Amino acid sequence: MNMDPDPAVPIVQIIDVHKSFGLLEVLRGIDLTVARGEVVCVLGPSGSGKSTLLRCINHLEQVTSGRVFVDGKLVGYRERNGRLYELGASDLAQQRREIGMVFQRFNLFPHLNVLANIAQAPQLVRKETHEAAHRRARELLDLVGLSDKIEAYPHQLSGGQQQRVAIARALAMQPKLMLFDEPTSALDPELVGEVLAVMRRLAAGGMTMIVVTHEIGFAREVADRVVFMDGGVVVEEGPPAEIFDRPRHERTRSFLKRLL
Amino acid sequence: MSAPRVVPARHWGQWLTAVLLVAFVACLAIAVAGSKNIQWGVIPGYMLDPTILDGIRLTLLFTVLAMAISIVAGVVLAVMRLASNPILSGFSSLYIWFFRGTPLLVQIIFWFNIQLFIPSIQLGAFRIETNSLISAFTAALLALSLNEAAYVAEIVRSGLLAVEHGQKEAAAALGYTPYQAMSRIILPQALRVIVPPIGNQTISMLKTTSLVSVVAAQDLLTRAQNIYARNFLVIELLTVASIWYLAMTTVASIGQSAIERRLGRSTTREPPAWMRAVRRLADAIGRKA
């Protein structure tokens, strides 16, 4: 069953996605395609729908209409006879393990130590052996520079360290795609750098990443493409140099002006 | 010049109350101990009476079984209560409302007399008299378990709600099924909130089991009553039973604080100094062995 990925198929394809919470329409028709190995940064004012969009990609939010494909597979639904039937819990779980996610508030498991935080999902979900999962967890901790914190519990770590463990935890599932939901927004300013450094290394290693962020410097340096959202639509997208230096839309310009 | 000595405020009112209290308790003790109507001497003899010990065995059995059944049922009820399906959550609410809202004593007597309501149970050709199925023991156990389940359900529910929503999302994003997320991520964290009140419930259950004496379910109190029905040493045997209840609840309290300390391990910032010392000692012994 393990077919080689077809490089022609985009890793993420979002087609006309709408999402409403009650009467509030948060996403109003989003189209976005992400290629394999691409790093896409999503920017926009708060309330623009960028986090909601990210959460639709792994079906943490159900879309109201439209389709999300990851690796050519429709996310969250089975299409039959012109209807979208929501997938059952185990099919959903199957899809989600291909997609890593890093949260703003880290969401580490407080009752497990660092090693178990990383190694539990591969053992439980991917049925890896204890040895394999722990070996890989140690390698990943090395990658994020926290080899000395294996036995620590989350509350004993700084925010930056917790977020780096959270990144290692997501990577342990060997995802095809990593989603970052404002990964540095809850951090003290002096801790932002260490998390961005790990993400930079990940991008350099060829990981496909979609990053919702306010870090203009990171986006400018690492992103292949920047997407600017406002009011539930993609206002404009393009290479960072274009978006930051020659924004075409007034909304983009005023947002960037406020940020800088 | 030397600094003046600090004299804390004296609370004269509190001291006066304390003296009166000691005098009152002393008078009471003298009156009780000196009473000609009570034979204190027989109490030690009855402490290890085989009938009493048998009663203790049954009281412990009721407590353990009722708590075990009610914890399983309570977790199911709590998960149902939080389910999105309105019939599941409605059933759970109704159950909790009913079993918490009627007296346990009534429930015990009801189950004991169930054959008046359902004389026999028929499954196809197989037919059984309810009377032979529901003994005093099963009636008592059913009543204690079903009643307790309602309380446990509310405790478990509050524990589940205390776990941050982000935990469920993190587990889902990693590909955990809802069952895996519940058993490996949510429940273990909820336990920290759930265990202390469940411990209280268990301690309370040790004493609540005495209510089953109304259907003569042969627990500790039933046995004590049986004995004093014959020899009229009412106060003496109630004292024997009380000493045993106190002993059991004391042991249970000690067990409860031990479990709480264990559960708190991953989230308390720093274990107390004495515990770190014990752990270092245990590690050292472990390395040597």
Side-chain angles (χ1 to χ4, degrees):
Chain A
M1 269 305 285
N2 220 341
M3 286 181 294
D4 281 335
D6 180 354
V9 177
I11 188 81
V12 177
Q13 205 170 3
I14 297 170
I15 301 167
D16 195 27
V17 160
H18 290 253
K19 170 70 185 176
S20 302
F21 293 104
L23 290 176
L24 182 71
E25 194 172 22
V26 179
L27 300 179
R28 310 153 156 249
I30 302 274
D31 292 281
L32 187 68
T33 302
V34 178
R36 254 166 245 284
E38 202 179 9
V39 176
V40 173
C41 284
V42 182
L43 272 71
S46 50
S48 60
K50 50 197 194 310
S51 283
T52 306
L53 176 65
L54 201 69
R55 292 160 59 83
C56 284
I57 296 174
N58 65 354
H59 202 66
L60 281 184
E61 301 289 356
Q62 297 159 272
V63 301
T64 307
S65 70
R67 293 184 184 83
V68 176
F69 293 92
V70 170
D71 207 14
K73 283 189 295 250
L74 185 60
V75 171
Y77 300 93
R78 191 177 289 119
E79 191 163 5
R80 227 179 21 227
N81 307 329
R83 283 188 188 179
L84 294 179
Y85 293 93
E86 190 171 18
L87 292 177
S90 63
D91 288 331
L92 259 180
Q94 187 97 15
Q95 287 190 335
R96 282 177 176 147
R97 58 169 138 156
E98 313 277 342
I99 307 166
M101 187 164 200
V102 174
F103 298 86
Q104 182 177 353
R105 306 274 336 159
F106 330 133
N107 296 353
L108 289 181
F109 303 135
H111 61 302
L112 301 177
N113 70 16
V114 164
L115 195 65
N117 257 284
I118 301 171
Q120 190 182 74
Q123 282 174 259
L124 202 64
V125 178
R126 287 176 60 99
K127 310 293 176 210
E128 286 181 15
T129 64
H130 181 273
E131 288 72 34
H134 280 240
R135 197 182 329 114
R136 194 164 154 69
R138 283 168 205 278
E139 288 168 11
L140 286 166
L141 277 173
D142 202 34
L143 179 81
V144 300
L146 289 171
S147 291
D148 55 332
K149 299 293 184 189
I150 281 177
E151 299 284 342
Y153 281 90
H155 68 82
Q156 296 166 319
L157 304 179
S158 71
Q161 290 170 332
Q162 288 192 50
Q163 194 60 300
R164 287 189 278 155
V165 173
I167 294 173
R169 177 176 70 175
L171 289 174
M173 291 297 288
Q174 306 182 23
K176 296 172 181 164
L177 162 71
M178 286 282 285
L179 308 175
F180 293 86
D181 188 4
E182 304 202 25
T184 58
S185 296
L187 296 176
D188 291 335
E190 78 271 21
L191 302 176
V192 168
E194 61 189 68
V195 172
L196 293 182
V198 168
M199 290 169 63
R200 227 173 251 130
R201 216 171 309 150
L202 212 54
M207 174 61 76
T208 311
M209 294 162 60
I210 304 178
V211 185
V212 171
T213 186
H214 292 292
E215 296 292 331
I216 301 290
F218 175 80
R220 185 188 281 277
E221 183 195 339
V222 180
D224 297 306
R225 190 150 49 102
V226 172
V227 173
F228 176 71
M229 283 179 69
D230 192 12
V233 295
V234 173
V235 175
E236 64 179 305
E237 57 177 301
E242 199 174 290
I243 300 289
F244 293 130
D245 301 332
R246 295 181 298 280
R248 275 167 293 152
H249 286 262
E250 177 49 38
R251 280 196 278 180
T252 318
R253 272 196 288 274
S254 70
F255 173 73
L256 290 172
K257 203 177 291 164
R258 267 182 284 132
L259 215 61
L260 294 173
Chain B
M1 213 177 83
S2 68
R5 205 164 67 89
V6 175
V7 182
R10 302 239 158 80
H11 301 283
W12 297 113
Q14 288 191 17
W15 279 108
L16 184 68
T17 314
V19 167
L20 288 175
L21 191 66
V22 168
F24 174 72
V25 170
C27 289
L28 204 66
I30 290 165
V32 171
S35 168
K36 295 279 179 295
N37 301 326
I38 298 170
Q39 304 171 30
W40 295 112
V42 306
I43 290 175
Y46 277 112
M47 284 302 291
L48 296 176
D49 186 287
T51 315
I52 293 288
L53 291 182
D54 238 22
I56 288 166
R57 201 177 54 81
L58 231 71
T59 287
L60 288 173
L61 191 64
F62 273 129
T63 305
V64 170
L65 287 180
M67 286 315 294
I69 295 169
S70 65
I71 286 170
V72 173
V75 170
V76 173
L77 283 167
V79 172
M80 276 169 69
R81 182 91 194 260
L82 297 173
S84 54
N85 185 307
I87 294 177
L88 294 184
S89 67
F91 174 85
S92 179
S93 305
L94 205 67
Y95 181 98
I96 293 165
W97 170 76
F98 183 80
F99 281 91
R100 282 202 314 186
T102 53
L104 176 55
L105 193 53
V106 173
Q107 292 175 31
I108 293 170
I109 299 170
F110 173 84
W111 285 112
F112 187 63
N113 291 300
I114 188 79
Q115 82 280 0
L116 300 176
F117 180 38
I118 308 168
S120 64
I121 293 168
Q122 190 148 14
L123 280 175
F126 184 73
R127 185 187 157 92
I128 187 165
E129 295 303 314
T130 312
N131 223 352
S132 60
L133 193 68
I134 307 282
S135 62
F137 179 85
T138 34
L141 185 61
L142 260 175
L144 290 174
S145 307
L146 295 181
N147 179 266
E148 187 62 24
Y151 290 92
V152 172
E154 286 296 87
I155 292 171
V156 173
R157 187 170 72 103
S158 70
L160 294 178
L161 290 176
V163 179
E164 241 192 293
H165 186 63
Q167 294 290 311
K168 199 174 159 188
E169 288 196 338
L174 283 166
Y176 286 55
T177 62
Y179 175 77
Q180 287 171 332
M182 179 57 76
S183 61
R184 305 300 288 268
I185 303 300
I186 311 295
L187 263 182
Q189 293 182 55
L191 278 186
R192 274 186 51 252
V193 179
I194 293 171
V195 165
I198 292 273
N200 284 338
Q201 293 294 110
T202 308
I203 292 165
S204 170
M205 179 62 84
L206 279 166
K207 300 169 293 165
T208 306
T209 53
S210 63
L211 283 179
V212 307
S213 62
V214 295
V215 296
Q218 303 307 317
D219 68 312
L220 176 53
L221 183 59
T222 310
R223 302 300 178 111
Q225 287 173 330
N226 287 348
I227 298 174
Y228 71 61
R230 273 179 274 116
N231 61 16
F232 303 109
L233 296 170
V234 178
I235 300 295
E236 292 81 349
L237 277 145
L238 287 179
T239 308
V240 168
S242 299
I243 291 172
W244 274 114
Y245 281 119
L246 264 177
M248 290 190 284
T249 51
T250 305
V251 171
S253 310
I254 293 169
Q256 182 192 13
S257 32
I259 292 171
E260 277 176 36
R261 266 201 308 278
R262 218 184 121 71
L263 279 172
R265 205 171 42 181
S266 62
T267 34
T268 43
R269 299 255 151 212
E270 188 76 18
W274 66 266
M275 206 193 290
R276 281 188 311 230
V278 169
R279 245 180 250 162
R280 269 199 301 276
L281 191 67
D283 286 349
I285 294 167
R287 269 197 297 277
K288 213 167 277 174

